[in-house]
Amino acid sequence: MGMDAQEALTKSGEDRDVEKRIRDQLVELNPIDKEEAVKKLVNRDRKAANEKVDKSGSIEAEMLRKTALLLLVVGAAAAAMGPPDGPEKVEVSSLEMYVDQLPQMPKIYGYNATAANLTVGMFQIKWKFHRDLPPSTVFAFGTSAEVATFPGPTIEALQGVPLQVTWENHLPRRHILPWDPTLSAAVPKRGGIPTVVHLHGGVHPPQSDGSAMAWFTGGFNETGATWSTPSYSYPNAQGPGVLWYHDHALGLTRVNLLAGLLGAYIIRNPVVEGPLGLPSGDDLDRVLVLADRSFNDDGSIYMNSTGDNPGTHPQWRMEYFGEAITVNGKAWPFLSVARRRYRFRIINACNARYFNLSFTNSLPFHVVGSDAAYLSRPVTTAHLLVAVAEAFDVVVDFAGGNNGSADAEMVNTAPYPYPGGDAPNQLNGKVMKFVITQQTTTDNSTVPAKLLEYVKVAEEEAVQRRYIVLSPYGNGNGTGGMGGMEGMGGMEGMGSPLHLYINGKRPEDPVTETPRAGTTEVWEVINLTPEDHPIHLHLASIQAVRARALDQLEEFMSCVTMLNDAEKCNVSQHAVGEAAEVPEHERAWKNVAKIAPGYMTTLVVNFFLVETGEPYPFDAAAEPGYVYHCHILDHEDNAMVRPLKLIKPGDISGQDPFPSIYNDGLTGYGLGFSISDVYYYYISMASLVQNF
């Protein structure tokens, strides 16, 4: 005789008390929608239980009872934080391109006479993405709601001038986008939208890094386990370069960035940059923030409400790809330019889309910097492949090589997902247009023969070599194990994995990467998925030196699946295939590196200031430490992230304990389990029921 999920939930008096306590605490969150959300999430478990679980008190019944209880919590919380059912998705092909002028984002200076202290808030505002679209509701950074923008204001800092920023959360209680409660995610007990800000590419103390569990809600009413201060300290000790700031909240990064929580941060040093003679001034030195979006017919941002594997993750998908390409918050904008040199700082702020940029009139890019550092000398290229979260600093000369053309379209040819996915179409294959005027102007700028020099570190100087394996796990049918590489195309070849891991470990597993501050390491990053991954290390400076294809890949994958150890699986005997050249314009000290599918990419990793070779001017070994992760946001939110805990130069312990950043989400309900338990109970239950 069967026992359904609701009976399992209410079988014991203890569970009835827990359920009542949960519901009482969630009443203020959403008294209208919570019941419907719970019904949707447990409906399939009710059917499975009726058919396959008896009243014998078996472990399967106990798992089902706990799973249903866990889903009750996250289901109600999801209903509270997520948006109600809304409008229909609009076909953006009906929108005319190049009708909106490229916005110049407002600037905030972090070095004026009022001392280096800023207060920047996060607000819900209306933003116009296109002339013919209704205003969209977005989340945006700004010093007030009236001046908040998407993307946020560009913060300009000076090298050597410390800056304190207080990030304030003024967001509403309910999210504007759907999110997935089965991912480990920040779930406040009393409502509100969790946020925390990470300065991408910044060299700063761990307490100011924007740890995923340092989240906070409005007024700091609730905070995550690693939150310690409302104000972040940015020493700006690193050299001049392109950084950007964005949300980094646990399990919500993909939706919070999609909603608009991102902006540029530029570090300048006029003493060393002035003599270079590069284009300068607000009109000639422009930030271009690229982000893809789809829209509903009321102008709101579209995001899927159903996942790739809805039986496991109701809403999560492997990647989000928008149909319209926005630059500085406008869909396919235009910019009028004179026949002279311009400097563009290009930031890819998409969730998952790569860009392979070029000009229709064959103008080249003169690359002078990559991520937060300059190159040693400029590199000229006709195509610029920009991974997710990657930045390039380029000069474009609109006076040369355009055959008198009146305009130049910037276009995109990168497949999505990259590199084996669909070819771009006429929507996402266009980025923006430059309207070249006949205006003659004096151009005193130049592209110098030499730029800036940094510390040179040879691979042989590394004190340790680590092997980092990127792999998918689960295939959407309730079974575990590593996914496959079939076809080496998009992620479809893996059968839509349930989650993605680094070295087969969850984010909350004990830390294994404990580099010593002040040293150099070599990381051999092995990609066993069919998709390129932009690996991002917080704090560290990295440089790819080579990449080599893996021979007998299936054999190697089988071994790694069993042993979870690349060295024991003789990776050196497999990494002997075709060599892939690292592009010259990527041979700089970066914070993002492209890891090609089926390859082992060798990274030199420095844990000190690469400008001088000096140690960090703060305790980099303090709590809560740092992280490294894939910067495809949908991957990062579903477990492709690991802790990175530096140890002090004199520490000989070798391994420091790292507190689990994923165990705060639900323990406040007094249930004795975390939100990550929701996920793994659910996976286990699904597999058990299917095979019972």
Side-chain angles (χ1 to χ4, degrees), residues 1-4 8 11 15 48-67 681 685 688-689 691-692:
M1 183 175 179
M3 176 179 66
D4 68 17
K11 184 174 177 62
D15 286 341
N50 278 328
E51 294 176 353
K52 298 185 179 180
V53 182
D54 61 26
K55 290 184 176 179
S56 64
S58 65
I59 187 172
E60 290 87 352
E62 180 67 8
M63 288 185 77
L64 181 61
R65 181 182 67 81
K66 289 185 176 181
T67 300
Y681 257 126
M685 184 277 293
L688 254 173
V689 169
N691 296 287
F692 184 68

Side-chain angles (χ1 to χ4, degrees), residues 159-240:
Q159 183 181 1
V161 179
L163 174 61
Q164 292 281 128
V165 181
T166 299
W167 302 100
E168 294 184 342
N169 183 342
H170 299 283
L171 298 175
R173 297 176 63 82
R174 191 184 188 102
H175 213 291
I176 60 174
L177 296 173
W179 63 285
D180 198 319
T182 62
L183 305 180
S184 290
V187 181
K189 306 177 187 71
R190 296 186 296 275
I193 299 172
T195 61
V196 64
V197 180
H198 169 59
L199 179 57
H200 180 109
V203 175
H204 43 246
Q207 303 91 330
S208 299
D209 190 51
S211 163
M213 275 307 304
W215 56 265
F216 56 94
T217 58
F220 303 100
N221 289 332
E222 289 188 71
T223 57
T226 63
W227 183 90
S228 61
T229 175
S231 297
Y232 279 14
S233 174
Y234 302 125
N236 297 318
Q238 65 201 92

Side-chain angles (χ1 to χ4, degrees), residues 350-389:
C350 294
N351 280 36
R353 184 181 296 280
Y354 281 46
F355 289 97
N356 190 20
L357 301 175
S358 62
F359 287 103
T360 53
N361 61 353
S362 302
L363 283 174
F365 298 97
H366 303 283
V367 184
V368 298
S370 182
D371 290 342
Y374 278 89
L375 301 177
S376 59
R377 57 183 50 82
V379 175
T380 300
T381 181
H383 296 268
L384 192 64
L385 181 63
V386 190
V388 177

Side-chain angles (χ1 to χ4, degrees), residues 317-568:
R317 289 187 182 178
M318 282 296 304
E319 294 95 7
Y320 173 93
F321 294 112
E323 296 174 345
I325 306 302
T326 74
V327 186
N328 292 1
K330 294 294 182 182
W332 308 293
F334 72 90
L335 176 66
S336 295
V337 294
R339 294 184 179 275
R340 57 155 300 147
R341 297 180 190 89
Y342 286 76
R343 182 179 187 177
F344 299 110
R345 302 167 189 260
I346 302 170
I347 301 171
N348 182 352
C350 294
N351 280 36
R353 184 181 296 280
Y354 281 46
F355 289 97
N356 190 20
L357 301 175
S358 62
F359 287 103
T360 53
N361 61 353
S362 302
L363 283 174
F365 298 97
H366 303 283
V367 184
V368 298
S370 182
D371 290 342
Y374 278 89
L375 301 177
S376 59
R377 57 183 50 82
V379 175
T380 300
T381 181
H383 296 268
L384 192 64
L385 181 63
V386 190
V388 177
E390 197 171 23
F392 283 99
D393 193 347
V394 304
V395 174
V396 178
D397 188 354
F398 292 102
N402 55 27
N403 300 319
S405 173
D407 56 56
E409 286 183 286
M410 181 185 285
V411 295
N412 167 43
T413 57
Y416 61 103
Y418 186 82
D422 297 333
N425 56 36
Q426 15 194 66
L427 299 175
N428 49 56
K430 306 279 190 179
V431 178
M432 65 176 293
K433 177 189 282 188
F434 295 89
V435 179
I436 305 171
T437 69
Q438 297 303 314
Q439 172 187 353
T440 58
T441 181
T442 301
D443 187 358
N444 294 319
S445 69
T446 186
V447 178
K450 293 184 178 181
L451 294 163
L452 300 185
E453 294 292 340
Y454 297 82
V455 171
K456 297 185 185 302
V457 180
E459 183 181 344
E460 294 72 27
E461 297 177 50
V463 300
Q464 184 161 349
R465 186 177 300 269
R466 300 182 190 271
Y467 291 89
I468 309 295
V469 180
L470 312 179
S471 52
Y473 277 77
N475 56 13
N477 64 4
T479 61
M482 188 180 295
M485 292 281 287
E486 292 89 341
M488 292 296 290
M491 281 295 193
E492 307 81 35
M494 299 183 307
S496 297
L498 302 179
H499 45 269
L500 300 107
Y501 283 162
I502 297 176
N503 284 343
K505 298 183 184 300
R506 303 174 302 168
E508 63 267 36
D509 289 334
V511 62
T512 50
E513 281 66 59
T514 56
R516 194 178 304 279
T519 65
T520 296
E521 296 190 349
V522 168
W523 287 25
E524 304 283 8
V525 188
I526 301 161
N527 185 355
L528 299 184
T529 82
E531 182 172 356
D532 199 283
H533 292 277
I535 196 77
H536 171 50
L537 276 70
H538 288 212
L539 182 68
S541 297
I542 63 178
Q543 188 170 153
V545 295
R546 64 177 173 276
R548 191 167 288 279
L550 296 166
D551 276 358
Q552 299 178 319
L553 185 57
E554 293 299 329
E555 175 186 318
F556 179 68
M557 288 181 65
S558 297
C559 180
V560 171
T561 301
M562 290 186 293
L563 301 182
N564 195 27
D565 189 313
E567 288 186 277
K568 290 181 180 178

Side-chain angles (χ1 to χ4, degrees), residues 516 647-656:
R516 194 178 304 279
I647 58 177
K648 295 180 179 180
D651 190 340
I652 60 173
S653 63
Q655 292 283 336
D656 278 7

